[in-house]
Amino acid sequence: MREGIAILGATGSIGASTLDVAARHPERFRVVGLSAHRDVERLAALCEQHRPDYAALADATRAPELEARLAAAGLDTRVMVGPQGLMELAALSEVDVVMAAIVGAAGLQPTLAAVRAGKRVLLANKESLVMAGPLFMREVRERGVTLLPIDSEHNAVFQCMPPDFDRGLDSVGVSKVLLTASGGPFREATADSLKAVTPEQACAHPNWSMGRKISVDSATLMNKGLEVIEAHWLFDVPPERIEVVVHPQSVIHSLVAYTDGSVLAQLGNPDMRTPIAHAMAWPERIEAGVAPLDLVEVARLDFQAADKVRFPCLRLAYEAMEAGGTATAVLNAANEVAVAAFLDEGLAFTAIPLVIEETLAALGTAPADDLETVVAWDRQAREHATSLLARHGRRRHTA
Ligand code: NDP
């Protein structure tokens, strides 16, 4: 029987890689639903190509345009609208597997809807765990949901962990999780030169092709910070047992260290179709269209310590995780505001951590026991971070 898959964030980079893997295995996967925020043109083109039964658009104002395009293409794809439409798509009875690949906080509620509906969830939207780790994992456990990580690092850790890691790391002999980081495009840059970084430079990642927000996060190392928090919740590993190692070649995607001195690593070319195919077929393996790894061509694997002074976002993420409660939702929200302002050329690259640090200091933390609290703190943090932009902001480039 073919598995029905819904892709939240189908028009993005992870969405494209997921559709590529699904199209390689039509005997195995049926695309039931696709979602986007407001890129109607791309969503309509994907519907023509993959013929899903449903298409969901978060921005309701653009739904008539989508409906018109689908009708003109002779498709009877049903359109679902607004954030509610995304949640309904994730919970459809025809859907077995949900790829959660919306970027940012907007991914939390549709991803939770998939969990609550008992779907197999392939988690790319790390922000869900950063914002609401304890309650998200509680729902996963209570509903017996299979949660498979898509982030290449967490997928690698998952592959290197013993299958019964949920018995507790000490019980299964795991001493440490090592997350690798490419170091981003500014690994060798001086602190001073970072002030003048442009969005184009920040988005030009040396090894990975990704959406703009995560590309900037990779350049500030906030992405690694978010991943440390994600690993903490996914594998129930305390912060002091998660180490970040800079590995510029992005060939080792992460490692697990055991008490007997063994260290297991997962290697591969930097192509998101590997972790996506792994999670889509798990526990089996399927072809992903990824070139085989040629170790002789790679020739060398380098490692260095992460620099939390030049890249304060990594430090801020560890601090927010230690503070717990709503602090990581605040971290995430302030980061989203600051990154959007940077991409809009309204904020310097080096002001991103300043906005986040000041927002964290101003708001403090509180217990994050329910979704309403998380959503309220996310909103407050956005308001506060936005109010800081005027002070930290810079004038737009004119030409
Ligand atoms: P992209 O920016 O390429 O795509 C984002 C997707 O989310 C698009 O489909 C977009 O729709 C949709 N979207 C954006 N805002 C909203 C909203 N408010 N409501 C509903 N949908 C929305 O992102 P990526 O594919 O790069 O990343 C997606 C997630 O995967 C992120 O959480 C990222 O951290 C994670 N990830 C990505 C990796 C990568 O290699 N790209 C690697 C590991 C993790 P539209 O096109 O209409 O704007």
Side-chain angles (χ1 to χ4, degrees):
M1 254 258 294
R2 293 199 299 166
E3 285 200 299
I5 184 163
I7 304 174
L8 302 172
T11 48
S13 162
I14 293 288
S17 296
T18 308
L19 284 166
D20 181 279
V21 174
R24 289 169 190 276
H25 302 279
E27 74 301 337
R28 196 168 179 134
F29 301 106
R30 188 171 81 82
V31 179
V32 174
L34 300 176
S35 93
H37 181 208
R38 55 165 76 106
D39 189 345
V40 166
E41 204 169 316
R42 175 120 185 89
L43 184 58
L46 291 177
C47 288
E48 276 199 63
Q49 197 183 343
H50 298 279
R51 312 242 151 201
D53 303 326
Y54 302 87
L57 198 64
D59 181 349
T61 62
R62 306 211 55 190
E65 195 184 331
L66 177 63
E67 275 164 350
R69 278 177 187 264
L70 295 174
L75 298 174
D76 58 2
T77 313
R78 215 186 111 196
V79 175
M80 304 165 108
V81 178
Q84 190 59 35
L86 268 60
M87 290 165 70
E88 283 166 19
L89 176 73
L92 285 168
S93 60
E94 304 95 305
V95 170
D96 305 296
V97 187
V98 174
M99 167 58 80
I102 291 172
V103 64
L108 173 60
Q109 303 215 35
T111 308
L112 255 185
V115 169
R116 287 176 174 159
K119 307 302 181 189
R120 187 147 64 96
V121 176
L122 317 187
L123 187 71
N125 179 257
K126 64 192 84 186
E127 294 90 345
S128 288
L129 282 177
V130 172
M131 291 176 74
L135 72 100
F136 189 94
M137 293 308 290
R138 190 173 66 224
E139 297 264 4
V140 166
R141 278 190 295 273
E142 279 174 11
R143 288 163 210 271
V145 160
T146 303
L147 180 68
L148 295 162
I150 293 299
D151 232 329
S152 58
E153 294 77 0
H154 305 74
N155 185 271
V157 170
F158 182 83
Q159 293 195 47
C160 298
M161 279 280 182
D164 54 346
F165 68 84
D166 57 359
R167 288 203 291 123
L169 298 193
D170 287 335
S171 314
V172 296
V174 168
S175 56
K176 216 178 197 182
V177 164
L178 297 110
L179 298 181
T180 53
S182 71
F186 310 127
R187 185 171 51 86
E188 308 277 11
T190 61
D192 217 38
S193 69
L194 291 177
K195 288 183 192 144
V197 158
T198 65
E200 285 59 42
Q201 290 168 329
C203 289
H205 195 279
N207 306 334
W208 296 95
S209 155
M210 307 180 286
R212 283 167 74 77
K213 192 259 177 183
I214 185 177
S215 296
V216 177
D217 286 347
S218 299
T220 61
L221 291 203
M222 178 56 92
N223 183 49
K224 211 47 56 183
L226 301 180
E227 288 178 5
V228 169
I229 300 169
E230 184 184 8
H232 168 59
W233 293 118
L234 275 175
F235 303 109
D236 196 16
V237 46
E240 65 277 9
R241 282 162 72 170
I242 307 173
E243 187 180 330
V244 173
V245 182
V246 174
H247 163 49
Q249 290 91 356
S250 296
V251 165
I252 297 183
H253 298 304
S254 279
L255 314 90
V256 173
Y258 285 81
T259 41
D260 64 3
S262 300
V263 180
L264 302 193
Q266 187 259 351
L267 285 72
N269 281 318
D271 186 322
M272 285 307 294
R273 290 176 300 177
T274 293
I276 290 170
H278 169 266
M280 283 172 74
W282 184 84
E284 293 169 25
R285 299 271 179 175
I286 55 173
E287 195 272 329
V290 178
L293 181 65
D294 183 338
L295 279 176
V296 174
E297 196 185 315
V298 172
R300 52 183 283 180
L301 301 172
D302 296 315
F303 305 96
Q304 58 193 75
D307 183 345
K308 290 185 193 158
V309 177
R310 249 181 334 135
F311 299 102
C313 285
L314 183 56
R315 168 180 61 80
L316 293 172
Y318 269 98
E319 285 172 7
M321 181 170 48
E322 300 281 1
T326 51
T328 51
V330 170
L331 172 96
N332 180 66
N335 180 55
E336 285 190 24
V337 169
V339 169
F342 166 70
L343 284 171
D344 199 29
E345 303 200 26
L347 193 70
F349 183 78
T350 42
I352 295 173
L354 300 179
V355 169
I356 300 166
E357 186 150 27
E358 286 180 32
T359 307
L360 280 166
L363 268 64
T365 188
D369 297 331
D370 54 71
L371 191 58
E372 293 67 34
T373 306
V374 170
V375 170
W377 280 71
D378 170 83
R379 193 176 49 242
Q380 271 189 58
R382 277 168 207 276
E383 285 167 9
H384 192 85
T386 305
S387 76
L388 297 175
L389 293 179
R391 182 150 51 84
H392 288 295
R394 67 176 173 204
R395 284 234 276 261
R396 282 159 195 276
H397 294 311
T398 37

